[in-house]
Amino acid sequence: MAARPATTGSRAVKASPARTAKGTVIPQLGWHQVRPAPIVLVSGTETFLAERAIRQLRDFLKLEDPSLEISDVQADSYAPGELLTLASPSLFGEPRLIRVSNVEKCSDNFLAEALDYLENPAEDTYVVLRHGGGVRGKKLLDTIRSGLGGAIEIVCTELKKDTEKYEFAANEFKVAGKRVTASALRQLVAAFSDDLAELSAACQQLIADATSEVTETTVDRYYGGRVETNAFKVADWAIAGRNGEALITLRHALTSGADPVPIVAAFAMKIRTMAKVFGARGGSAQLGAQFGLAPWQVERAQKDLRGWSDEGLARCILVLAETDAAVKGAGRDPVFALERLIGVIARRGEQ
Amino acid sequence: MAVWDNLTGQADAIAIFRAAAQRVPSGVDTVKADTGAIGSSVSTVESTSMTHAWLITGPPGSGRSNLAFAFAAALLSPGTPDGDRAAARQVDARTHPDLSVLTTEGVIIKMESVKEAVARSQYSPSVGRYRVVVVEDADRMVERTSNVLLKALEEPPERTVWILCAPSEADLLPTIRSRVRTVRLRVPSVADVADLLVRRNGVDPIIAELSARLAQSHIGMARRLATSAEARARREETLRTALGIRSVSSAVNAAARLLAIAGDDAKAITLELDAAERDGMLRSLGVEAGQSVPPGLRSQIKALEDDQKRRAVRSLRDGIDRILVDLASLYRDVIMVQLGRERTVINLELLAELRAASAAGPPAATVATIDAIAVARQRIQSNVAPALALEAMLVSAIRRPQ
């Protein structure tokens, strides 16, 4: 009965930065631009954003018409006819929201029936397809993207860069109408760089608890200097000659769950690349081909190599092998062995 | 002389085992003595010549396990110390009912298999004079696993014989050492090994001499070098690569190259075998080729693949170890030249390069490199990343131009 709800203000179709596959004619939107459509394809690997987009859509539809009928379908254990049954009009003609999960693992039955459904979508029915990435169901995706069935696509790609996460967190505070300082945001992003859900939960906690502006002190009180980091960042500091920072980062990495063995492997990988490139002349592409490295790895290594000597590298490699043995049981204290390694590398192997 | 024929340069050890195999076990002894059939021959053999647990030690490639199986065949044959043909054939195929073998293609022998062998050792022999348990690579047991053997080794049933093989007595726990009688093998001479290659594989005498010398009398390695020109070329490339190291960059690249050589070697051995085993298993499970494996059978396929992975790890490690042994021979030669003993050099073909290398650094540096090789071998055994261990070893082999 209800006419198709008017689209929200974010109608201005701003194609998301994600890939635009050939033959795509439907709008591709970011996760916060979700709006009702007969078919809403939620694609991408970031589950947290996808769930949030689907929840927003449901809340919006529920607001439009509280009698909304919501049903969930698993595409991997799909029983034939399910989609059609759920989409067919009921006696009072309530609008229907059908959420289909696991489309990336869908059964052949689902694939065939979904394709049929696209030809002839039901009135007042919103079908949300959650596709978590992968090649399975590619035909379905292509058909949807070619415009059949009046679909939109919500692209939920992983937020990889720190700046993207920073923007995400800033947006969380903005939506809640809470003021937050830039340094507090930076600290938050550093503390929860691995999992977007964790970052979001931390933001929500601060929004709920803090009375006035959220500052660095507030973040510090809640998340006490926690920094999530990884082995490569430790290696970067050490190779840049910053012993102190490397040791601090190492402690952060160890307390947030890193294991000494992969840390040594990360060091070995970086030093090995540097040693290969040391003293070699030529363009980065040519050297890369020669040593089996990507050009950016060569450039990075060349940059890292400033101030290093051949003897220094040799000493570092000897200590690396010793440390690898030590963290695998030859020494008593793996962390001490790592700290010693960092010292040697930060001195660039000089005595 | 059937069972002892294929062994080279181990006359002393063979004499000991022949004497032991000649003795008739006590249970049988009384019966024979009553009939008086072989009474005189038995009395000539010392009663102390046989025991219930043996340890054969010797350097790799000296034929430890071959000798162990020859001894097993002799023990399992009725009567004669030289073994009879049927028993020898069954031992060769490892199908003799009274023979159990503990061996591994992985890095270590698993505790379950040892326990199973211990349980089987309690049965009395079914057809032979003895029940024989051969443990190849007894050094590939961790301490916990070795402890399972202790009781069985100390007081085995009357007619059970244990034969262990290990590179040296030091590789086993003192508690095991004290329960076995050790027979040491010699390193066969180069001439002996060359002679064997000519006799058995029909190799050209010059190549046979060369291979035996380069393999340092390791019989298996010598055969590989003698029968494959490719293996000889690879070995030479390894040595030349090591001699050409002048900077860290060349050391790290050399390590990558050596690792690739070892990896190729290992893959050549395991790849074909892996596919054949998988096919065989699928056939015996009744899965047609190209058909997907039913979920119920996947665990068996998974177990097979895990075993194969373990074997791949082992063969990669063995390959790297071979390379390190070759390198050790190289630096041994360098120090021989440095000390003015050129006549004892192993890698005669590289004499010019050896002279150049000996002039490039002091003997102390050469000794340090030899030590680094030993450390690298030990580290690889204790699970250090092979690339890292090799790099550290080759870094110590840098001879910077003055």
Side-chain angles (χ1 to χ4, degrees):
Chain A
M1 57 180 175
R4 213 165 279 295
T7 50
T8 52
S10 61
R11 177 71 197 251
V13 178
K14 178 190 155 227
S16 80
R19 75 252 118 89
T20 327
K22 209 180 148 208
T24 304
V25 299
I26 59 168
Q28 289 189 311
L29 309 172
W31 64 271
H32 51 280
Q33 295 165 315
V34 64
R35 59 183 164 84
I39 308 281
V40 180
L41 171 64
V42 183
S43 64
T45 45
E46 187 56 71
T47 320
F48 175 73
L49 292 183
E51 274 168 13
R52 205 178 239 210
I54 295 171
R55 199 166 57 232
Q56 266 184 18
L57 180 66
R58 188 205 59 185
D59 292 348
F60 181 80
L61 291 173
K62 199 89 177 166
L63 208 67
E64 286 268 315
D65 187 344
S67 65
L68 179 75
E69 213 175 71
I70 301 170
S71 30
D72 288 301
V73 176
Q74 305 274 341
D76 48 350
S77 55
Y78 179 79
E82 221 176 331
L83 188 60
L84 215 60
T85 318
L86 292 173
S88 55
S90 62
L91 185 58
F92 301 107
E94 296 99 345
R96 293 167 298 281
L97 172 66
I98 303 174
R99 296 180 295 199
V100 187
S101 51
N102 293 339
V103 178
E104 72 275 10
K105 290 183 257 179
C106 66
S107 63
D108 291 342
N109 273 332
F110 175 80
L111 204 59
E113 289 189 18
L115 284 169
D116 283 348
Y117 181 81
L118 285 181
E119 302 274 345
N120 200 3
E123 283 271 304
D124 283 342
T125 302
Y126 312 100
V127 178
V128 178
L129 300 171
R130 170 76 187 107
H131 192 280
V135 286
R136 179 93 183 129
K138 186 169 180 303
K139 191 178 171 208
L140 179 62
L141 295 193
D142 286 347
T143 319
I144 293 173
R145 285 183 185 139
S146 70
L148 193 67
I152 61 168
E153 180 174 2
I154 307 296
V155 185
C156 302
T157 43
E158 211 176 327
L159 302 186
K160 283 203 184 94
K161 290 191 200 115
D162 274 353
T163 51
E164 288 171 344
K165 289 184 184 146
Y166 181 89
E167 272 166 31
F168 171 81
N171 195 44
E172 295 277 287
F173 283 97
K174 204 171 107 194
V175 170
K178 204 72 154 192
R179 281 189 306 154
V180 59
T181 62
S183 58
L185 275 179
R186 264 198 303 279
Q187 209 174 344
L188 259 180
V189 172
F192 300 98
S193 59
D194 259 5
D195 190 352
L196 203 59
E198 250 186 300
L199 177 60
S200 160
C203 291
Q204 296 307 328
Q205 173 92 64
L206 289 176
I207 288 166
D209 286 9
T211 44
S212 56
E213 188 184 37
V214 176
T215 61
E216 213 169 330
T217 20
T218 330
V219 178
D220 202 40
R221 182 161 359 110
Y222 276 78
Y223 302 109
R226 175 192 156 103
V227 174
E228 255 175 29
T229 185
N230 58 33
F232 284 100
K233 285 188 191 141
V234 185
D236 284 344
W237 282 118
I239 287 166
R242 309 276 289 273
N243 194 10
E245 280 87 346
L247 288 178
I248 294 171
T249 323
L250 171 70
R251 286 294 173 169
H252 279 310
L254 290 172
T255 45
S256 55
D259 188 73
V261 173
I263 293 180
V264 177
F267 270 101
M269 211 175 112
K270 294 212 74 139
I271 297 282
R272 180 175 302 138
T273 316
M274 284 163 62
K276 277 184 184 174
V277 175
F278 188 85
R281 308 212 185 292
S284 56
Q286 182 206 338
L287 287 179
Q290 186 184 337
F291 297 126
L293 301 165
W296 67 265
Q297 283 176 308
V298 175
E299 279 160 26
R300 183 70 209 265
Q302 280 170 337
K303 204 175 103 217
D304 287 342
L305 271 170
R306 265 173 226 144
W308 282 77
S309 67
D310 205 56
E311 286 82 1
L313 275 173
R315 207 159 294 125
C316 284
I317 290 177
L318 291 177
V319 176
L320 263 173
E322 217 177 296
T323 311
D324 199 36
V327 299
K328 285 173 179 166
R332 280 201 197 151
D333 186 351
V335 178
F336 170 73
L338 271 175
E339 284 174 351
R340 185 167 156 263
L341 171 71
I342 287 175
V344 172
I345 290 179
R347 284 198 308 274
R348 306 206 159 90
E350 312 291 339
Q351 267 151 351
Chain B
M1 287 298 286
V3 296
W4 312 108
D5 269 357
N6 277 335
L7 304 162
T8 298
Q10 307 296 356
D12 299 347
I14 290 175
I16 295 174
F17 287 130
R18 268 181 61 104
Q22 209 163 345
R23 233 186 78 76
V24 179
S26 51
V28 185
D29 198 58
T30 46
V31 180
K32 295 265 166 80
D34 284 349
T35 58
I38 50 166
S40 57
S41 73
V42 170
S43 62
T44 58
V45 181
E46 280 181 61
S47 60
T48 52
S49 58
M50 182 62 191
T51 185
H52 60 270
W54 297 81
L55 170 64
I56 306 180
T57 65
S62 54
R64 287 187 310 249
S65 46
N66 286 341
L67 190 58
F69 284 114
F71 183 36
L75 289 176
L76 294 168
S77 316
T80 65
D82 292 329
D84 73 353
R85 190 169 294 184
R89 207 176 281 160
Q90 278 176 309
V91 169
D92 278 345
R94 310 281 185 267
T95 54
H96 197 286
D98 291 335
L99 173 73
S100 25
V101 182
L102 259 182
T103 181
T104 181
E105 287 176 323
V107 175
I108 53 163
I109 297 182
K110 281 192 260 168
M111 187 183 257
E112 300 94 83
S113 38
V114 175
K115 281 186 174 156
E116 198 190 307
V118 168
R120 278 183 65 121
S121 74
Q122 302 295 325
Y123 304 156
S124 60
S126 52
V127 295
R129 294 181 292 162
Y130 293 99
R131 165 165 297 276
V132 180
V133 188
V134 177
V135 186
E136 288 184 73
D137 310 320
D139 53 316
R140 287 192 183 273
M141 287 187 286
V142 296
E143 200 176 312
R144 254 161 19 100
T145 314
S146 312
N147 286 338
V148 175
L149 275 183
L150 288 177
K151 191 69 195 156
L153 278 183
E154 189 168 42
E155 286 180 336
E158 207 175 353
R159 285 158 68 190
T160 295
V161 178
W162 287 84
I163 309 176
L164 314 184
C165 306
S168 82
E169 279 190 308
D171 292 318
L172 301 176
L173 295 180
T175 39
I176 296 232
R177 264 182 269 159
S178 65
R179 285 163 165 80
V180 295
R181 180 184 295 176
T182 306
V183 177
R184 293 195 184 83
L185 302 191
R186 301 187 298 124
V187 179
S189 70
V190 169
D192 278 346
V193 176
D195 189 46
L196 178 78
L197 290 176
V198 173
R199 196 151 40 87
R200 196 167 62 184
N201 299 77
V203 180
D204 177 62
I206 294 175
I207 293 186
E209 191 272 337
L210 174 123
S211 310
R213 176 160 46 80
L214 294 187
Q216 299 174 69
S217 299
H218 184 305
I219 296 173
M221 270 313 289
R223 190 177 54 225
R224 246 169 87 85
L225 287 177
T227 50
S228 152
E230 203 183 324
R232 284 200 297 273
R234 250 197 315 249
R235 184 179 186 281
E236 197 177 322
E237 190 197 336
T238 310
L239 301 193
R240 282 184 195 279
T241 310
L243 285 179
I245 293 175
R246 298 278 173 272
S247 67
V248 170
S249 169
S250 56
V252 172
N253 285 316
R257 177 78 198 114
L258 296 189
L259 211 56
I261 291 177
D264 288 348
D265 239 15
K267 231 181 269 166
I269 298 170
T270 52
L271 213 58
E272 267 177 47
L273 211 54
D274 284 357
E277 275 177 2
R278 198 186 145 85
D279 287 350
M281 172 165 252
L282 287 179
R283 195 171 43 246
S284 63
L285 290 174
V287 180
E288 268 178 52
Q291 200 181 339
S292 71
V293 182
L297 298 178
R298 272 178 207 151
S299 65
Q300 294 188 43
I301 299 284
K302 178 88 182 19
L304 177 75
E305 280 168 357
D306 284 349
D307 273 347
Q308 291 177 340
K309 222 174 278 166
R310 274 193 277 275
R311 184 170 62 197
V313 170
R314 158 94 182 264
S315 51
L316 180 65
R317 282 193 190 178
D318 287 357
I320 294 171
D321 205 58
R322 271 198 296 277
I323 285 178
L324 287 173
V325 170
D326 288 343
L327 289 179
S329 83
L330 178 76
Y331 287 99
R332 172 202 171 275
D333 286 354
V334 171
I335 204 160
M336 284 301 174
V337 174
Q338 278 171 334
L339 300 178
R341 310 270 301 175
E342 269 188 26
R343 276 189 309 132
T344 56
V345 156
I346 296 170
N347 298 287
L348 274 177
E349 288 68 30
L350 295 174
L351 198 55
E353 286 88 343
L354 288 175
R355 282 185 186 135
S358 66
T366 317
V367 173
T369 307
I370 294 176
D371 284 349
I373 293 175
V375 170
R377 292 181 68 183
Q378 191 196 335
R379 280 188 182 151
I380 288 173
Q381 252 175 25
S382 59
N383 227 1
V384 169
L388 208 47
L390 268 184
E391 279 163 8
M393 181 254 127
L394 289 174
V395 158
S396 75
I398 297 174
R399 300 287 178 265
R400 294 176 212 282
Q402 264 94 38

